[in-house]
Amino acid sequence: MNMNNDLNKYSNLSPFELKDVLISVASGKSNRIMLNAGRGNPNFLATTPRQAFFQLGLFATAEAELSLSYLEQQLGGIPAAEGISHRFTRFLHQQQGQPGIDLLNKSLSYVRDQLGLDPDAFIHEMVEGILGCNYPVPPRMLSLSEKIVHEYLSDEMSSDKLQGQEFDIFPVEGGTAAMTYIFNSLKMNHLISKGDKVAIGMPTFTPYFEIPLLEEYGLEIVTINACAEQGWQYPDSELDKLKDDKIKIFFIVNPSNPPSVSMSEHALSYIKNIVKTQRPDLFILTDDVYGTFADKFNSLFSYCPENTALVYSWSKYFGATGWRLGAIALHKDNILDKQITAFPQDIHQRLNKRYSSIVDDSSKLKFIDRLVADSRVVALNHTAGLSTPQQVQMVLFSLFSLIDINEHYKTALKKLIRRRHHALYHQLQLTIPEDKWEVEYYTLLDFVDIASRLYGTEFGQWARQNVDINALLFRIADETGVVMLPASGFGTPMPGGRVSLANLNEYDYVNIGKALKQVAAESYQRYQSSRSAR
């Protein structure tokens, strides 16, 4: 690649669009392997709950055939609920030792003995669900599935604060769909208007600070900036911005993307105090997809449950991006419902007209049910809901985690990711500072910091003043085949790149570290030459 090419034409691209250009550059040489470290899709996945899914599918199809056994093969009917758990137990015994059977056996025991659910009702819901032979009923979420996912979120999103809390769940097609639905319903229900302020925890996933700026929303962004020098935590001075009563929403990813750091107990408590004492009207929207990678994670949903909508996705932790499994959780006594109830009569009249096809009086329609209706432009509310096979896989993922009381799967994932992180930094000949809040799904490489730590602060300052970061990313892609996303594309002034620690093998991170070390060494040689020439 000719590095003299004008890179300005790429300056406005999202980092995810720039990634495609960098991949093209990195793939330009046939004698090496391109290493795409910018991709967040994990290369690991949970196999046991998938095995259980397919075993359950075999049982379900046999049940369907049984209900119309007097007819031709290949034709089945709706499975009968009566006695289905006994037939399922017999199936498990017959398949004993096969992959996934042990999880199904433990799942039946768990929902019966720990959650107190009727075993026939549970197995029938799972069987009908995996067959996909009925519309989702209720459309928001299958009844027993919601109880199980409720238990999973309570367990994973808080060490203990969510136990006993009552909240509703709406499963959706991944975390991004959740954000789309929430912003749309906030607008449709007059909870946000053009010109309103939205506070966003920065840096963050790029689309999250692009959404509010879209013409249909036209919101004003107030940045709540995490501090790199403080381990990417939010200083009190930044959180104090939330005291501005013109801010309608606080929008945050926790643990953060891309720093991969959980909010500290101090920050969580500080926000809770602001909400309690000065901003009881503040709506918080938290995306906690990486929370399951953290040690003893606590969500803002557990600290400010009535003010917070929780968005969670099973995609990263279970390696299930293709399944499109996400959920929105709202406390049964939340501020959005209270704000809607307090609307003046003219707004209620408009909303009554919008939701007239599903309710006589929309004033008592909960916001989460408005989300469901709005996801199908209201008129098609009766066909809303995540597909039932998706809900079944969501339940099996959740049960897999709930049953794993010794956290074998979680421990294995953490070890896998952290080994990759250390492999990268070992080749750079740098140590990773200890930080109990870091989950290490991504790492932000601060090029100036790396230059300073390798060759001294004077070289680091020279690099800051003389190196164009986009040009450096193109150079790294061209010379080494390594693709990173620009850190600046996530709303941080840090000159560097985001590297995913989830999508490549350990030896790949060794090679990335070697390649970056070589680029740094070559830059240092140029720096020394420039000094000698003076």
Side-chain angles (χ1 to χ4, degrees):
M1 176 183 176
N2 181 4
M3 295 308 297
N4 293 322
N5 284 348
D6 181 13
L7 300 177
N8 289 332
K9 61 183 178 180
Y10 303 122
S11 61
N12 292 324
L13 285 183
S14 157
F16 300 99
E17 302 304 324
L18 181 62
K19 173 198 65 181
D20 294 334
V21 182
L22 291 170
I23 287 174
S24 177
V25 172
S27 304
K29 297 180 181 178
S30 59
N31 60 344
R32 68 163 186 230
I33 298 174
M34 184 272 295
L35 295 176
N36 181 6
R39 187 172 173 84
N41 194 101
N43 68 346
F44 51 77
L45 55 89
T47 56
T48 301
R50 286 173 166 88
Q51 292 164 345
F53 180 87
F54 294 121
Q55 293 284 3
L56 178 63
L58 292 175
F59 171 75
T61 50
E63 283 289 300
E65 290 177 339
L66 183 65
S67 67
L68 287 180
S69 58
Y70 62 93
L71 295 176
E72 294 287 338
Q73 293 296 315
Q74 303 177 2
L75 180 65
I78 304 296
E82 185 178 355
I84 194 171
S85 65
H86 294 295
R87 297 192 296 276
F88 185 61
T89 301
R90 186 165 60 247
F91 168 80
L92 296 178
H93 180 73
Q94 292 169 348
Q95 301 298 316
Q96 190 173 4
Q98 293 298 310
I101 292 298
D102 185 55
L103 176 58
L104 291 175
N105 204 359
K106 290 178 179 177
S107 296
L108 178 59
S109 175
Y110 184 88
V111 300
R112 181 188 61 218
D113 301 334
Q114 301 299 316
L115 302 184
L117 303 180
D118 178 78
D120 277 346
F122 167 67
I123 296 301
H124 191 252
E125 183 171 293
M126 291 296 97
V127 164
E128 276 203 347
I130 203 167
L131 290 171
C133 56
N134 267 322
Y135 288 109
V137 179
R140 179 164 58 78
M141 189 171 193
L142 301 177
S143 300
L144 300 186
S145 298
E146 181 173 10
K147 295 180 185 296
I148 294 164
V149 172
H150 183 289
E151 192 74 10
Y152 171 73
L153 294 177
S154 297
D155 186 64
E156 291 287 358
M157 297 293 102
S158 170
S159 52
D160 57 11
K161 293 179 177 62
L162 283 174
Q163 297 302 321
Q165 293 281 357
E166 295 186 356
F167 53 89
D168 296 314
I169 301 168
F170 175 28
V172 293
E173 307 90 334
T176 51
M179 295 304 175
T180 302
Y181 292 154
I182 289 171
F183 269 89
N184 180 60
S185 284
L186 288 172
K187 176 190 173 187
M188 292 300 177
N189 286 277
H190 303 271
L191 291 163
I192 56 172
S193 303
K194 285 188 176 181
D196 284 345
K197 291 183 178 180
V198 53
I200 302 182
M202 301 289 279
T204 194
F205 183 50
T206 312
Y208 287 176
F209 59 82
E210 294 175 336
I211 292 172
L213 298 176
L214 293 173
E215 184 179 356
E216 55 262 44
Y217 300 116
L219 301 175
E220 178 184 341
I221 291 177
V222 177
T223 59
I224 309 295
N225 298 299
C227 178
E229 292 74 21
Q230 296 180 26
W232 294 107
Q233 294 295 333
Y234 299 99
D236 293 353
S237 57
E238 288 294 310
L239 295 175
D240 282 338
K241 295 177 182 178
L242 298 174
K243 296 175 182 178
D244 179 0
D245 61 10
K246 292 184 174 60
I247 292 175
K248 295 289 188 71
I249 311 171
F250 177 35
F251 191 1
I252 189 166
V253 179
N254 179 34
S256 51
N257 176 7
S260 272
V261 173
S262 300
M263 293 182 71
S264 68
E265 292 171 5
H266 171 79
L268 292 166
S269 297
Y270 198 85
I271 294 170
K272 179 180 179 179
N273 186 60
I274 290 175
V275 169
K276 183 178 180 180
T277 61
Q278 299 184 57
R279 291 302 315 277
D281 60 326
L282 180 66
F283 173 54
I284 300 170
L285 178 54
T286 182
D287 178 351
D288 294 354
V289 61
Y290 303 104
T292 32
F293 292 92
D295 295 319
K296 297 180 180 179
F297 177 70
N298 280 300
S299 168
L300 263 171
F301 186 56
S302 69
Y303 273 71
C304 308
E306 296 178 5
N307 290 71
T308 305
L310 167 70
V311 169
Y312 176 75
S313 169
W314 283 254
S315 60
K316 302 297 197 299
Y317 188 59
F318 296 99
T321 52
W323 262 110
R324 313 309 295 137
L325 303 179
I328 303 166
L330 270 175
H331 196 275
K332 287 185 180 291
D333 186 20
N334 65 80
I335 60 163
L336 297 181
D337 290 341
K338 293 175 182 176
Q339 289 173 1
I340 290 172
T341 300
F343 279 158
Q345 191 60 33
D346 62 323
I347 294 181
H348 276 303
Q349 288 175 350
R350 274 182 268 174
L351 292 176
N352 278 337
K353 184 176 180 181
R354 175 173 179 80
Y355 297 107
S356 61
S357 64
I358 59 175
V359 289
D360 294 330
D361 179 8
S362 70
S363 64
K364 293 183 174 60
L365 186 64
K366 295 192 295 185
F367 182 76
I368 198 161
D369 293 320
R370 295 167 191 258
L371 281 170
V372 178
D374 293 336
S375 74
R376 296 297 183 271
V377 290
V378 182
L380 294 170
N381 179 68
H382 65 288
T383 63
L386 189 68
S387 79
T388 58
Q390 286 173 285
Q391 293 192 48
V392 169
Q393 183 67 91
M394 182 185 292
V395 166
L396 290 173
F397 282 143
S398 300
L399 286 168
F400 171 66
S401 181
L402 286 165
I403 291 166
D404 185 15
I405 57 175
N406 292 317
E407 297 189 336
H408 295 299
Y409 180 75
K410 180 173 294 207
T411 301
L413 279 193
K414 288 178 182 177
K415 185 180 293 185
L416 177 71
I417 290 174
R418 290 168 190 181
R419 282 177 60 93
R420 294 171 176 180
H421 197 187
H422 284 272
L424 171 61
Y425 274 81
H426 178 73
Q427 293 304 318
L428 283 170
Q429 298 179 334
L430 298 174
T431 58
I432 303 172
E434 290 294 326
D435 184 353
K436 70 175 183 177
W437 305 112
E438 189 169 4
V439 301
E440 299 177 278
Y441 192 91
Y442 301 109
T443 185
L444 274 176
L445 296 177
D446 184 333
F447 294 150
V448 171
D449 178 66
I450 290 172
S452 300
R453 291 168 67 186
L454 287 174
Y455 298 107
T457 55
E458 288 188 11
F459 173 60
Q461 289 304 314
W462 177 88
R464 183 186 299 276
Q465 297 167 6
N466 292 276
V467 176
D468 178 88
I469 296 304
N470 274 356
L472 181 59
L473 291 173
F474 272 84
R475 178 186 161 201
I476 290 171
D478 182 50
E479 295 180 7
T480 71
V482 174
V483 173
M484 292 180 284
L485 299 187
S488 59
F490 296 88
T492 172
M494 186 186 79
R498 186 194 84 166
V499 171
S500 168
L501 297 168
N503 72 317
L504 296 171
N505 294 313
E506 189 173 331
Y507 68 86
D508 293 319
Y509 293 100
V510 169
N511 290 332
I512 289 172
K514 288 179 179 178
L516 295 180
K517 184 72 165 57
Q518 180 63 32
V519 169
E522 292 171 358
S523 297
Y524 184 62
Q525 289 176 356
R526 284 196 291 273
Y527 161 71
Q528 288 183 310
S529 299
S530 67
R531 292 186 65 189
S532 300
R534 279 185 264 169

